[in-house]
Amino acid sequence: MFATLSDRLADTFKNLRGKGRLSEADIDATAREIRIALLEADVALPVVKEFVGAVKERARSEEVSGALNPAQQIIKIVHEELVTVLGGETRRLRYAKSGPTVIMLAGLQGAGKTTLAAKLALWLKEQDKTPMLVAADLQRPNAVQQLQVNGERAGVPVFAPSPGNGTGDPVEVARASIEEARRKLHDVVIIDTAGRLGVDQTLMQQAADIRDAVQPDEVLFVVDAMIGQDAVTTAQAFLDGVGFDGVVLTKLDGDARGGAALSIRSITGKPVMFASSGEKMTDFDTFHPDRMASRILDMGDMLTLIEQAEKAFDSEQSMKAAEKLATKGGFTLEDFLQQMMQIRKLGSMTKIMGMLPGMGQFRDQLENFDEREIDRIQAIIQSMTPAERENPKIIDGSRRARIAKGSGRQVSDVNQLVDRFFEARKMMESMARGGGMPGMPGMPGLPGAGGKRGGAKQPAKGKKGKKRVSGNPAKAAQQKAAEQAAAAEKAGNPFGNPDGAEVDYEKAAEQLNLPKDFSQFLK
């Protein structure tokens, strides 16, 4: 969704790297590039003007001019302003103190209200609520049936006394649903209302009548994130005609430019509360402004990734796999398959990798990743016997031919999988026992972590004048940087460089034969 904006901002910040001081021309050029990036992303013009003005004002202030690293400070300012534009703090649902909490969905036809109603119901169910869906969209053909199908997929009951397709009174259905929820002890009622292809008086009046009849605790405006700046116009029309408390963005997985997400909050003053980003019922979550800002700036979204992993992973099974890794040959293809199936629960590999910091530079490779490759690996492993999965060394030529035939793959594919498994297992076992990859420590939290086996060679003890240098490249660079800073401070310069700029991390990375991009991790 934000690929274009993210790439443009990344290119802008590259021009600032390595500068110890920012001139007025640097600030103006950066502001101009940010303005172009936002306009290309379909952000509303008033929002762009306000955003760029705030960034320029702060860029000229003492917080940048007195900073050790002005470029990093500019990125920090842009991040904080993005968080502000997106809503600041995460807005949570308000629940009724007594009786069922009533949530009403409103929006144009095609925005995805019916599917989103079921996603929201499933999300509430996971929060230990007992939601009920209400089919009050009696205008669109088969809208009631669609909600019933989605409700069944989510495992949530649907109140649908009228068949719809142009018949029935949606206001009466909505009013009756509250009594039905009380009778069957549902603590949340989600009302799916009708939409139109465009904003009109009939649509507004019906939505207002339903609102007045049920007095909802939350009115959520559902908007398609792919309709660009028109989303802002529509949101303002609904705000004036019906009123709403929060916004839900749908189709965030699309290839549109994402300007709606950055514009709606500033124009309407109402927060984005939820985001839907796929076809699955689970592709739905709370909207966190700070996390979305980090994604836009290619800083990743590790918190969301961790939360999803906690839901999907079986901690007991993962611990057993970790223990097996500490034993030579203990980790089998069966364990590998189980771990891979748990990863599949997180969603597509492209989506998972996209949450890692710095993955924006590999966007083309991620977009071209074939998700079916995991299915092929699964087919090969499941074509093996239990004994073969337990001990892959017994897989000889005839067995490989049989496995290839059973999985519909080539023998070369089986050979490649087995060879890669042995290589990966050897590396993971070494890391688990503390040997690690060259210059890297053992994996924390695993048996044997922190040992010296296989690690970098340490300097001989007793030799005078030689300090011990860490085998970890990041720590070694930090150690060297600290020594440079200490020497500079002793010489009367607290910054480590003659011009008063910060320590040159890129040079430190180069001296360690590391890529220049690795310097961001050293910092």
Side-chain angles (χ1 to χ4, degrees):
M1 172 60 72
F2 294 105
T4 304
L5 177 60
S6 184
D7 290 344
R8 284 300 298 258
L9 289 177
D11 290 339
T12 301
F13 297 139
K14 277 180 186 176
N15 299 327
L16 297 176
R17 288 179 186 170
K19 293 194 176 184
R21 290 281 182 270
L22 288 186
S23 65
E24 192 73 22
D26 291 330
I27 293 173
D28 288 339
T30 302
R32 184 169 57 253
E33 289 298 320
I34 291 173
R35 182 185 295 108
I36 293 170
L38 293 172
L39 290 173
E40 285 185 348
D42 256 353
V43 181
L45 185 58
V47 180
V48 174
K49 287 183 176 178
E50 185 179 346
F51 183 90
V52 174
V55 171
K56 284 182 72 173
E57 183 180 347
R58 291 184 62 182
R60 292 191 176 104
S61 67
E62 286 296 320
E63 67 177 304
V64 172
S65 60
L68 297 182
N69 188 331
Q72 289 289 338
Q73 200 68 19
I74 291 289
I75 296 173
K76 178 175 177 287
I77 289 170
V78 172
H79 180 268
E80 289 173 355
E81 292 300 325
L82 274 175
V83 173
T84 303
V85 166
L86 289 167
E89 296 180 357
T90 304
R91 163 77 153 77
R92 308 285 181 178
L93 275 176
R94 292 188 301 250
Y95 295 104
K97 292 181 180 179
S98 61
T101 299
V102 181
I103 301 172
M104 173 180 160
L105 303 181
L108 293 182
Q109 189 172 309
K113 287 193 305 299
T114 304
T115 302
L116 185 121
K119 287 184 177 184
L120 176 59
L122 179 60
W123 183 84
L124 286 164
K125 190 178 174 184
E126 291 172 349
Q127 312 296 316
D128 296 324
K129 301 292 182 182
T130 54
M132 181 183 79
L133 290 164
V134 179
D137 181 358
L138 307 180
Q139 191 69 32
R140 181 169 61 88
N142 297 320
V144 174
Q145 289 84 344
Q146 183 188 351
L147 187 65
Q148 288 172 328
V149 169
N150 286 336
E152 189 176 340
R153 288 173 63 194
V156 175
V158 178
F159 179 68
S162 297
N165 296 325
T167 62
D169 185 351
V171 179
E172 284 305 315
V173 169
R175 187 181 286 114
S177 70
I178 308 301
E179 290 303 318
E180 178 74 4
R182 289 197 182 102
R183 190 171 65 84
K184 294 192 175 179
L185 303 178
H186 291 286
D187 54 8
V188 182
V189 176
I190 302 170
I191 302 175
D192 177 32
T193 64
R196 294 289 190 279
L197 294 176
V199 176
D200 62 20
Q201 190 57 42
T202 306
L203 166 66
M204 291 301 178
Q205 189 59 52
Q206 188 182 97
D209 290 343
I210 293 174
R211 179 201 63 200
D212 295 340
V214 299
Q215 295 294 311
D217 299 281
E218 296 276 17
V219 179
L220 302 182
F221 174 62
V222 183
V223 62
D224 182 346
M226 297 180 69
I227 66 174
Q229 292 204 21
D230 194 46
V232 178
T233 307
T234 307
Q236 191 63 53
F238 267 88
L239 186 63
D240 297 338
V242 182
F244 55 82
D245 304 295
V247 178
V248 183
L249 289 173
T250 62
K251 306 176 188 176
L252 271 180
D253 56 328
D255 57 359
R257 295 169 182 174
L262 292 169
S263 305
I264 284 181
R265 171 64 176 83
S266 293
I267 298 294
T268 65
K270 301 297 181 181
V272 179
M273 293 176 62
F274 296 101
S276 173
S277 58
E279 294 295 326
K280 294 180 181 177
M281 286 288 125
T282 52
D283 292 335
F284 173 87
D285 210 345
T286 304
F287 185 86
H288 300 279
D290 54 340
R291 300 184 192 181
M292 185 56 73
S294 294
R295 284 198 208 183
I296 292 171
L297 295 178
D298 198 22
M299 296 176 182
D301 187 0
M302 293 303 295
L303 284 174
T304 299
L305 186 57
I306 290 167
E307 287 174 1
Q308 290 181 359
E310 285 176 344
K311 291 179 186 176
F313 276 67
D314 183 333
S315 57
E316 187 177 340
Q317 192 179 62
S318 298
M319 186 58 69
K320 286 179 181 177
E323 289 172 356
K324 285 186 175 185
L325 279 172
T327 307
K328 189 172 182 179
F331 191 77
T332 66
L333 275 167
E334 183 66 40
D335 299 318
F336 172 70
L337 180 62
Q338 289 177 359
Q339 292 298 305
M340 192 170 66
M341 290 300 98
Q342 291 199 67
I343 291 174
R344 286 296 295 271
K345 293 178 185 177
L346 292 174
S348 70
M349 290 301 295
T350 303
K351 184 178 177 182
I352 295 168
M353 296 298 289
M355 291 184 185
L356 299 176
M359 293 306 291
Q361 57 188 315
F362 305 113
R363 185 171 288 113
D364 290 341
Q365 292 92 318
L366 289 176
E367 288 176 354
N368 293 324
F369 178 76
D370 188 357
E371 298 284 347
R372 292 173 298 177
E373 188 62 33
I374 298 175
D375 296 326
R376 294 172 191 133
I377 293 172
Q378 181 182 351
I380 292 173
I381 296 176
Q382 289 181 334
S383 296
M384 298 177 184
T385 65
E388 289 166 345
R389 294 183 210 176
E390 193 70 25
N391 183 16
K393 289 183 179 179
I394 67 172
I395 303 177
D396 55 19
S398 61
R399 288 175 183 265
R400 292 181 190 224
R402 190 204 78 243
I403 293 166
K405 189 176 181 181
S407 60
R409 308 301 300 160
Q410 301 294 323
V411 174
S412 59
D413 296 328
V414 180
N415 292 338
Q416 193 177 50
L417 172 62
V418 173
D419 292 344
R420 283 184 177 177
F421 171 75
F422 282 131
E423 289 173 9
R425 184 173 71 175
K426 184 178 179 181
M427 183 189 72
M428 289 189 293
E429 286 175 352
S430 178
M431 292 173 69
R433 292 196 302 272
M437 293 186 292
M440 295 297 285
M443 294 169 67
L446 294 182
K452 294 180 181 177
R453 179 180 173 182
K457 188 177 180 181
Q458 299 292 342
K461 292 182 180 179
K463 289 187 179 180
K464 294 183 179 179
K466 284 193 175 182
K467 292 185 178 181
R468 294 172 67 89
V469 180
S470 172
N472 185 328
K475 288 185 178 179
Q478 287 180 329
Q479 185 178 338
K480 186 167 184 176
E483 289 171 5
Q484 287 179 355
E489 188 172 5
K490 194 172 182 181
N493 175 7
F495 298 101
N497 277 339
D499 62 353
E502 65 152 1
V503 174
D504 192 343
Y505 284 98
E506 288 193 6
K507 190 174 181 182
E510 186 178 349
Q511 289 172 347
L512 288 161
N513 294 321
L514 295 169
K516 283 189 178 181
D517 287 344
F518 197 81
S519 60
Q520 61 181 311
F521 295 104
L522 304 184
K523 293 173 186 177

